[in-house]
Amino acid sequence: MNLQERISVCVELGKKLSSEILNNQRLLVKSTGANGWFTEDEVERALINWSDALSADKIEKWLSDYPELTAYKAKNRVGIIMAGNIPLVGLHDLISVFLSGNVAVVKMSSDDEVLMSEVIMQLLQLDERVGDYIEV
């Protein structure tokens, strides 16, 4: 996948976060049940904020500071050990590694596994090639 294709997948994920995932009451209840510190309000806030952050203009503005990404070809494996203290706290690391074109080797926190698993599954459904960039 080239950088523009990876950006497009992230933008589509942002749309899904504010529609399908935010409106999935079963998922919200399951995620709050898996972590006693997560409230439904906090989970909803995380989904809304990530949806906003993954808009095309915000991603383009963020990546404009890294013009070398357009020519970057290496696929390094980058280990990510995700925390679970805030809903989707590990998503920034995952998105950063994915957009850079590297492979994220992810160890999810059991405290945020419900939401992160759903997000990764949504990414894979958007484009099966995402599987080349994420290992759980």
Side-chain angles (χ1 to χ4, degrees):
M1 296 177 79
N2 64 36
L3 178 59
Q4 198 54 52
E5 291 169 326
R6 293 191 305 272
I7 291 170
S8 294
V9 166
C10 289
V11 170
E12 290 305 310
L13 175 64
K15 293 174 185 174
K16 283 182 168 276
L17 291 176
S18 66
S19 60
E20 293 174 32
I21 298 175
L22 183 61
N23 294 317
N24 185 335
Q25 195 61 35
R26 180 198 57 78
L27 181 68
L28 296 179
V29 168
K30 190 174 177 184
S31 68
T32 58
N35 185 330
W37 292 102
F38 287 11
T39 65
E40 206 166 308
D41 288 342
E42 289 297 319
V43 172
E44 288 175 2
R45 181 179 297 124
L47 291 167
I48 291 166
N49 287 338
W50 270 109
S51 176
D52 180 57
L54 292 175
S55 66
D57 59 327
K58 290 190 177 174
I59 293 174
E60 294 287 347
K61 185 176 188 298
W62 173 37
L63 296 181
S64 69
D65 291 333
Y66 306 97
E68 65 276 8
L69 280 181
T70 55
Y72 186 70
K73 299 285 186 216
K75 268 197 174 178
N76 297 303
R77 293 168 46 94
V78 179
I80 301 172
I81 300 173
M82 295 183 171
N85 56 327
I86 299 169
L88 297 177
V89 71
L91 186 55
H92 185 272
D93 296 335
L94 179 66
I95 295 296
S96 296
V97 172
F98 174 65
L99 285 173
S100 73
N102 291 297
V103 177
V105 182
V106 175
K107 165 62 176 93
M108 285 185 270
S109 168
S110 59
D111 290 335
D112 195 17
E113 196 168 14
V114 172
L115 288 174
M116 283 306 303
S117 293
E118 180 67 22
V119 167
I120 291 171
M121 184 183 73
Q122 292 293 333
L123 281 166
L124 292 168
Q125 286 178 355
L126 287 167
D127 191 319
E128 65 186 21
R129 297 175 295 170
V130 170
D132 295 337
Y133 295 88
I134 300 173
E135 295 176 21
V136 178

